[in-house]
Amino acid sequence: MSTGKRLFQYALNYKRIILVALAMLTVAVVADLAGPFIAKRMIDHHILGIESVWHTTDEQSGAVKYKGNLYTKEDMEQETDSAQILQVGRNFVFVDAKIEFDGNRSYEDGVLTINKGAKAAQYEAELLSGEELMGFYRPEIPGIIKLLAFYFGLLIIAAIFQYGQRFYLQKSANRIIQKLREDVFRQIQRLPIRYFDNLPAGKVVARITNDTEAIRELYVTVLSTFFTSFIYITGIYIALFILNARLAAICLLLLPVLFVWAKLYRKYASKYNHVIRSRVSDINGVINESIQGMSIIQAFGREKETQKDFEKLNNEHFTYQNKLLSLNSSTSHNLVAVLRNIVFVAFIWYFGGEALQPSSAISLGMLYAFVDYINRLFNPVQGIVNQLANLEQALVAGERVFKLMDEEGIDVSEEEIPRYKGNVTFDHVSFGYKEGKYVLKDLNFEAKQGETVALVGHTGSGKSSIMNLLFRFYDPQEGKILIDGMDISEMPRQTLRKYMGIVLQDPFLFTGTIASNVSLDHPSISRDTVEKALQSVGADRVLKNLENGYDEPVIEKGSTLSSGQRQLISFARALAFDPAILILDEATSSIDTETEAIIQDAMDVLKEGRTTFIIAHRLSTIRNADQILVLDRGRIVEKGNHDQLMESKGKYYQMYQLQLGNKSKAG
């Protein structure tokens, strides 16, 4: 399914609101487009209506008194004397007769002469004074006032319904984007960890924020403009056909011209916008990287090189912005104005002179209405063209968002199982992050409930990969992992992880408070549980000096707390969830000696009754482990407790002696 169709499917979720908005838009357009019709009637029937045939009458109501006689424009049932008022230059004359034909008019010495081709006619006429002329206009004033009041009422209706349609269209757009963002975020929760290995976090964030905001512009501005313009153009053409079908048919020639023009504009605007969007993304990346690495940039004197990289991207962005500006200037605003003027001049040239003649089928009021509608026709056209670039940006953004949503994910399971004891077995497990390149090879070991198993080895030996498999962030290519005899590959990931706890080398804290970072706002973890967990790991001794205690605010990543404080909070978090299996991934490597002593004192409490896996470089922290697995290039090369491995004087012995020697030299 194309991106456009998928965006349309999202819009259908709120079709009722959109249909209400479109209905209100239609009413607003009809009310707005009635203006030229009202102006036409006002010109033809009231302002120029004074030149109609006047009849003598005996009735006083609404009649005009002139030279002792009463006159009215209304058709009389019985035959009466007729008269006409005609404009000659700037003056008006009264002819006490009905003229046979109309043409070029001239007045001299009380005689009105009308010439039309070879024909000529003369009539006795009287020049009307201003007061006499106003007497004939006076009956038209109530009609003009009624039309003005009617038009003012239509303007109010149009304004109300315009507000309503914009409100509901934007409301539906916000709802659509709200749902889209929730769906994207839900999809991110479903994606395996492997997906994030190759996609920087910034790009994922951009999909949820920048790209969905571009799509929001599609619904709020672009489609709103397109809907409004389409209804306006349709309404204008209907009005033109009502006025004069022949002239309206000629105006239809504009549509193919505008279609070809829009296609050409979109072709080049799309190309430029793709480059501009890419450069904006690159510029954001450079700025973000420079801010995060400012200390390194300044320490190594790389300010000028960083500035040059930024200027290169900025200049490319500037160049393509100028190209887009030139395209807009030549094909958007200016072209619309030129096309409008050409059509306007052609219309006046062909029909203007004829319309000015009273004998023509085209009245002056109709000419005015046509000119007004033709001018109005170009406003929605220009609105559509101006939104083509935003349309292209939204489609590109939609393509990126839907590409993320099409990634294969795993649904969050609500399945519940009884708490397992924590007996872990790795049965001939082999695993690689890339196909055919194993980082773990034929691993076999058991960890019984309550045991502490330490994993040691050089960087890249596979220690963290074992934990990734145990948590099912990844699945092994060969072998299987069992917990209490159950194959974890047959268990839902969320169910498996419910009874696991983890403490990372660099603990992650969320914005909130210390207490909320321990409980993660889980409804089953009470305040008492949070405080007991913090006390159990000795955090109360380290955090007691904070002004707000356990309610101390935590900002992004806990940057206002020391590494030791952050680590203790993560220990308390793991303990509060009461896991059956506890994983400590380099948990004490970044902690000072005093804090490490506090954690070591609390370690017995943490490990009691739990299967604990410890990944450690500092071998002094795992001397009391029940089982130590020594890894080398993905294989277990030694296995046993500290004393057994020291006696065998193998790889573990060498590592321990090396660390002991380094400490002695440091001392």
Side-chain angles (χ1 to χ4, degrees):
M1 188 183 295
S2 67
T3 301
K5 287 183 178 179
R6 295 182 73 168
L7 291 171
F8 179 71
Q9 290 292 328
Y10 265 92
L12 288 181
N13 291 318
Y14 304 97
K15 57 187 176 185
R16 289 185 180 179
I17 300 178
I18 294 174
L19 288 175
V20 169
L22 293 181
M24 298 185 78
L25 175 60
T26 304
V27 173
V29 169
V30 171
D32 189 37
L33 293 182
F37 270 101
I38 295 172
K40 175 185 176 299
R41 182 168 181 82
M42 194 180 298
I43 292 171
D44 289 344
H45 291 269
H46 296 289
I47 297 176
L48 296 182
I50 195 174
E51 294 194 356
S52 302
V53 178
W54 292 82
H55 304 276
T56 58
T57 179
D58 295 331
E59 299 177 6
Q60 294 288 332
S61 178
V64 178
K65 189 173 183 180
Y66 177 73
K67 301 291 185 180
N69 294 321
L70 296 174
Y71 293 90
T72 180
K73 285 199 306 181
E74 298 177 5
D75 291 336
M76 307 300 293
E77 294 181 3
Q78 65 274 16
E79 260 190 55
T80 60
D81 294 334
S82 298
Q84 279 190 254
I85 297 173
L86 300 175
Q87 183 177 5
V88 183
R90 294 185 178 181
N91 298 314
F92 285 83
V93 296
F94 182 88
V95 180
D96 195 9
K98 184 177 180 181
I99 64 173
E100 297 176 8
F101 59 87
D102 201 1
N104 293 323
R105 306 167 185 172
S106 62
Y107 176 77
E108 188 175 357
D109 298 330
V111 177
L112 171 67
T113 304
I114 300 177
N115 295 299
K116 185 176 183 181
K119 295 191 296 182
Q122 290 185 333
Y123 304 90
E124 290 185 4
E126 298 175 2
L127 192 65
L128 294 175
S129 66
E131 186 178 343
E132 289 170 334
L133 182 63
M134 280 305 299
F136 282 98
Y137 266 120
R138 199 165 286 116
E140 310 298 331
I141 293 176
I144 292 174
I145 292 174
K146 286 181 182 178
L147 286 174
L148 288 174
F150 180 61
Y151 183 52
F152 182 71
L154 287 178
L155 289 178
I156 293 175
I157 293 172
I160 293 171
F161 279 85
Q162 277 283 8
Y163 168 79
Q165 68 90 8
R166 287 179 183 172
F167 175 80
Y168 283 112
L169 270 182
Q170 295 206 15
K171 181 179 180 180
S172 63
N174 290 334
R175 287 275 183 88
I176 292 167
I177 296 306
Q178 180 187 32
K179 177 173 173 51
L180 182 59
R181 280 180 174 158
E182 288 174 354
D183 289 348
V184 175
F185 193 77
R186 189 180 298 112
Q187 169 68 1
I188 289 174
Q189 309 280 16
R190 296 176 63 249
L191 292 175
I193 297 297
R194 185 188 298 273
Y195 177 81
F196 300 99
D197 290 342
N198 301 315
L199 189 69
K203 289 189 176 182
V204 179
V205 172
R207 303 282 172 92
I208 304 176
T209 55
N210 297 351
D211 289 338
T212 54
E213 189 62 25
I215 298 173
R216 180 181 175 276
E217 282 299 305
L218 170 70
Y219 291 113
V220 171
T221 307
V222 179
L223 292 187
S224 174
T225 302
F226 279 22
F227 285 147
T228 305
S229 300
F230 176 77
I231 292 176
Y232 259 99
I233 291 172
T234 304
I236 288 170
Y237 271 106
I238 290 173
L240 290 176
F241 272 98
I242 291 173
L243 288 171
N244 189 300
R246 186 165 65 92
L247 297 182
I250 294 172
C251 291
L252 283 175
L253 295 174
L254 286 173
L255 294 182
V257 174
L258 296 174
F259 177 77
V260 172
W261 162 41
K263 290 282 288 184
L264 289 173
Y265 175 84
R266 186 181 174 191
K267 176 183 177 182
Y268 292 100
S270 170
K271 176 183 175 182
Y272 297 153
N273 273 294
H274 269 87
V275 177
I276 290 169
R277 191 170 182 82
S278 175
R279 290 300 169 269
V280 168
S281 178
D282 293 339
I283 288 171
N284 288 338
V286 168
I287 292 172
N288 182 53
E289 187 179 65
S290 298
I291 291 173
Q292 291 187 353
M294 190 57 70
S295 58
I296 301 299
I297 291 172
Q298 293 184 359
F300 288 89
R302 303 294 296 173
E303 292 91 345
K304 289 184 178 179
E305 287 76 11
T306 305
Q307 180 72 19
K308 286 180 181 178
D309 291 340
F310 179 82
E311 286 179 356
K312 181 181 177 182
L313 293 173
N314 201 30
N315 285 335
E316 288 182 23
H317 178 264
F318 172 77
T319 300
Y320 277 91
Q321 281 282 22
N322 274 351
K323 288 184 178 182
L324 185 61
L325 179 62
S326 299
L327 180 66
N328 285 333
S329 298
S330 59
T331 63
S332 180
H333 308 285
N334 289 343
L335 189 58
V336 169
V338 169
L339 199 56
R340 177 195 285 121
N341 291 333
I342 290 173
V343 172
F344 180 76
V345 170
F347 181 80
I348 295 296
W349 183 41
Y350 278 110
F351 307 108
E354 184 183 357
L356 290 173
Q357 300 301 324
S359 62
S360 172
I362 303 174
S363 67
L364 192 59
M366 183 178 290
L367 178 63
Y368 169 82
F370 251 90
V371 171
D372 195 343
Y373 280 129
I374 288 173
N375 272 322
R376 289 178 183 230
L377 178 63
F378 284 91
N379 292 329
V381 169
Q382 184 164 316
I384 289 174
V385 172
N386 289 342
Q387 292 302 324
L388 289 176
N390 289 335
L391 172 63
E392 192 61 36
Q393 286 184 8
L395 291 176
V396 171
E399 185 179 339
R400 286 157 54 90
V401 169
F402 290 130
K403 183 179 179 182
L404 172 64
M405 294 182 68
D406 288 338
E407 292 288 337
E408 187 177 351
I410 303 157
D411 291 329
V412 177
S413 173
E414 300 292 336
E415 183 181 334
E416 295 283 344
I417 63 170
R419 177 187 170 92
Y420 45 72
K421 295 179 180 178
N423 296 302
V424 178
T425 303
F426 273 62
D427 184 9
H428 297 284
V429 171
S430 295
F431 165 73
Y433 294 99
K434 295 182 179 179
E435 194 69 31
K437 295 183 179 180
Y438 288 161
V439 294
L440 296 177
K441 304 165 187 174
D442 196 30
L443 295 188
N444 278 289
F445 69 88
E446 288 186 21
K448 296 180 181 179
Q449 179 186 6
E451 279 190 349
T452 298
V453 178
L455 304 174
V456 299
H458 298 297
T459 301
S461 60
K463 304 184 297 298
S464 295
S465 297
I466 291 176
M467 300 302 98
N468 286 337
L469 293 181
L470 189 57
F471 259 89
R472 282 204 71 192
F473 292 143
Y474 302 88
D475 287 325
Q477 282 85 5
E478 297 177 14
K480 53 187 177 180
I481 303 171
L482 308 174
I483 294 181
D484 292 354
M486 297 180 292
D487 190 342
I488 66 171
S489 64
E490 298 175 0
M491 300 169 62
R493 286 171 168 79
Q494 290 74 30
T495 305
L496 169 70
R497 296 166 188 162
K498 183 175 182 179
Y499 304 114
M500 287 186 180
I502 188 168
V503 179
L504 299 172
Q505 178 180 358
D506 185 17
F508 191 92
L509 299 186
F510 298 90
T511 301
T513 64
I514 290 174
S516 69
N517 267 281
V518 173
S519 67
L520 296 180
D521 294 323
H522 197 285
S524 65
I525 299 178
S526 65
R527 176 74 178 200
D528 288 342
T529 304
V530 169
E531 293 181 0
K532 286 179 182 177
L534 287 164
Q535 291 168 4
S536 296
V537 299
D540 55 331
R541 285 181 276 172
V542 177
L543 302 173
K544 63 183 178 181
N545 295 326
L546 296 177
E547 183 179 351
N548 299 304
Y550 298 148
D551 293 314
E552 182 73 15
V554 175
I555 60 174
E556 186 179 3
K557 295 182 181 180
S559 56
T560 57
L561 301 173
S562 69
S563 59
Q565 289 172 326
R566 294 197 300 271
Q567 196 66 278
L568 284 170
I569 293 170
S570 68
F571 263 94
R573 177 195 295 164
L575 185 60
F577 278 82
D578 191 23
I581 298 174
L582 180 65
I583 297 171
L584 308 177
D585 188 355
E586 306 280 5
T588 59
S589 62
S590 60
I591 294 177
D592 57 84
T593 306
E594 182 181 351
T595 307
E596 182 181 347
I598 295 174
I599 291 178
Q600 290 294 343
D601 291 341
M603 198 70 76
D604 291 338
V605 177
L606 275 169
K607 295 187 295 184
E608 188 174 349
R610 297 182 177 88
T611 306
T612 306
F613 290 87
I614 301 177
I615 299 175
H617 282 144
R618 294 159 78 174
L619 302 184
S620 59
T621 62
I622 57 167
R623 292 187 59 170
N624 297 325
D626 299 297
Q627 188 178 174
I628 299 173
L629 305 179
V630 183
L631 294 163
D632 184 34
R633 298 179 183 179
R635 297 184 183 275
I636 298 176
V637 293
E638 292 182 19
K639 186 188 302 185
N641 59 33
H642 174 77
D643 293 334
Q644 292 170 341
L645 294 175
M646 290 298 290
E647 286 178 10
S648 65
K649 294 189 177 180
K651 197 169 189 66
Y652 178 82
Y653 175 82
Q654 295 172 4
M655 293 169 63
Y656 193 84
Q657 290 297 325
L658 183 63
Q659 286 193 9
L660 194 64
N662 287 339
K663 286 182 180 179
S664 299
K665 290 178 182 178

